Amino acid sequence: MIFGMVCALGSAVCYGTATVLQAIAARTAAATHPSSDVVLLLRALRHWRYLLGLALDGLGFGLQIVALELVPIYAVGAALAASLAVTAVVAAWLLGIRLSRVEWTAVAVVCAGLAMLGLASGAEGRQPGRAGWTG
């Protein structure tokens, strides 16, 4: 169970970091030569940050699959929702954005809620459902 939650949180970190890296690469590609979407994508694909972001997306997907094998889906879903908080923190760090007190509080609340969910979740039951609930 612990390893599954670590995988789910690792997936959230990968997804959140990938988002920021890809945004930086896209911003750099657009600043050099503004052009059409296709050309912008091709320029972004030449930046190492964009490629690293794609690699982190792939790693995050793999970690998500492992987590789904080990942890209930609601816990994995909540952990993946924490990628938004990861995106905010990584963007503040890499882009030099200052988060307001409210935004830091939101990040802390997401982390606290995820911790409570992790502590409250347990193994799923193996008992069959009631006869009226089956099709």
Side-chain angles (χ1 to χ4, degrees):
M1 180 91 168
I2 299 288
F3 181 69
M5 282 305 290
V6 169
C7 287
L9 292 174
S11 179
V13 169
C14 288
Y15 286 146
T17 305
T19 300
V20 176
L21 290 173
Q22 290 167 350
I24 292 171
R27 182 185 292 176
T28 304
T32 55
H33 301 290
S35 57
S36 71
D37 292 340
V38 175
V39 175
L40 179 62
L41 174 63
L42 293 175
R43 280 198 191 110
L45 283 171
R46 286 189 263 154
H47 287 274
W48 66 269
R49 286 183 181 102
Y50 197 85
L51 296 175
L52 179 59
L54 287 177
L56 284 173
D57 278 335
L59 177 61
F61 181 73
L63 289 172
Q64 179 182 352
I65 296 299
V66 172
L68 285 169
E69 289 290 325
L70 301 172
V71 180
I73 191 168
Y74 65 87
V76 176
L80 291 179
S83 68
L84 184 60
V86 172
T87 301
V89 172
V90 172
W93 176 51
L94 290 179
L95 298 175
I97 298 170
R98 287 190 51 100
L99 297 179
S100 69
R101 184 177 297 165
V102 172
E103 291 165 332
W104 279 114
T105 302
V107 168
V109 166
V110 166
C111 293
L114 184 59
M116 287 189 288
L117 180 67
L119 292 172
S121 65
E124 57 190 50
R126 300 281 181 217
Q127 299 295 327
R130 293 184 180 171
W133 291 3
T134 59

